[in-house]
Amino acid sequence: MSVIESTEQLAPAGTWAADPVHSNVSFEVGYAGVNTFRGSFKEFQAVLAGGAEPTLEGTASVASVDVKDEQLNGHLQTPDFFDAARHPEIGFRATELHRLDGGRVEGSGELTIKGVTQPVTLAGTVAAAPATDPFGRERLGLRLETSIDRTQYGVSWNAPNQSGGDYLANDVKLIAELALVRQEG
């Protein structure tokens, strides 16, 4: 077991909520063995409680998945993929987050897709310090990534690639780029 040494807090004490206009929650998956396919969620929320023991929780609406093709957006709603009728949200909860040297972040959490919760490891970056925007609000940038095997969550649709293998890779990178705004009160 490794010990992570950090003397800095991830974020100042208080509640920080993701600004959905300036934030992004997305995924990347290998496609056809020749490129990376990307998508995102238009509707999501994330809340960070800063201080000595930070917590981060968030959800993404499955109905808001966007891959730039309406037909494929519809297919992603079916039981082949996210099964939006039975599982309308993807959920995340960080169990540990640590600020390291150079603004790096490491941690762990739990990800729930299609009612299946699995542990995940996190890596990313955090802004050196909050900045004040033109409206007087404090903002803090946080980027987190993890990679999962989608089949462990029951997202296992695939089709054979005529050149060999399958069209979709099982490994999926999940990315949360969060512009967090300190909440009043």
Side-chain angles (χ1 to χ4, degrees):
M1 182 168 148
S2 65
V3 175
I4 298 174
E5 300 259 346
S6 176
T7 58
E8 293 185 66
Q9 293 180 356
L10 180 72
T15 301
W16 301 78
D19 168 359
V21 173
H22 298 97
S23 299
N24 187 49
V25 174
S26 61
F27 58 89
E28 300 177 351
V29 61
Y31 179 75
V34 297
N35 72 319
T36 301
F37 182 77
R38 293 174 175 85
S40 63
F41 294 91
K42 293 179 184 177
E43 297 174 20
F44 58 89
Q45 64 84 27
V47 176
L48 172 71
E53 294 185 31
T55 62
L56 176 67
E57 294 190 22
T59 59
S61 168
V62 170
S64 75
V65 68
D66 182 28
V67 293
K68 300 180 185 177
D69 179 283
E70 287 304 315
Q71 185 175 351
L72 185 50
N73 286 345
H75 188 201
L76 291 172
Q77 306 297 315
T78 71
D80 284 346
F81 288 94
F82 295 117
D83 196 0
R86 290 184 37 207
H87 305 284
E89 287 188 336
I90 295 171
F92 171 78
R93 182 176 70 87
T95 54
E96 287 187 66
L97 289 171
H98 304 279
R99 178 191 285 262
L100 307 174
D101 292 339
R104 293 178 304 117
V105 175
E106 289 184 357
S108 57
E110 296 176 338
L111 178 67
T112 302
I113 301 174
K114 289 181 77 170
V116 176
T117 302
Q118 297 281 341
V120 293
T121 58
L122 305 165
T125 57
V126 64
T132 303
D133 70 17
F135 305 102
R137 298 174 298 196
E138 282 188 280
R139 292 179 168 269
L140 183 70
L142 175 65
R143 177 186 169 97
L144 295 172
E145 295 184 9
T146 190
S147 292
I148 63 167
D149 178 342
R150 65 187 178 89
T151 63
Q152 292 182 345
Y153 295 87
V155 181
S156 52
W157 180 90
N158 223 327
N161 185 341
Q162 293 153 332
S163 299
D166 289 325
Y167 268 102
L168 291 179
N170 290 337
D171 292 334
V172 178
K173 181 190 285 187
L174 305 175
I175 305 154
E177 295 177 281
L178 304 175
L180 299 161
V181 179
R182 186 193 295 262
Q183 304 300 291
E184 294 182 22

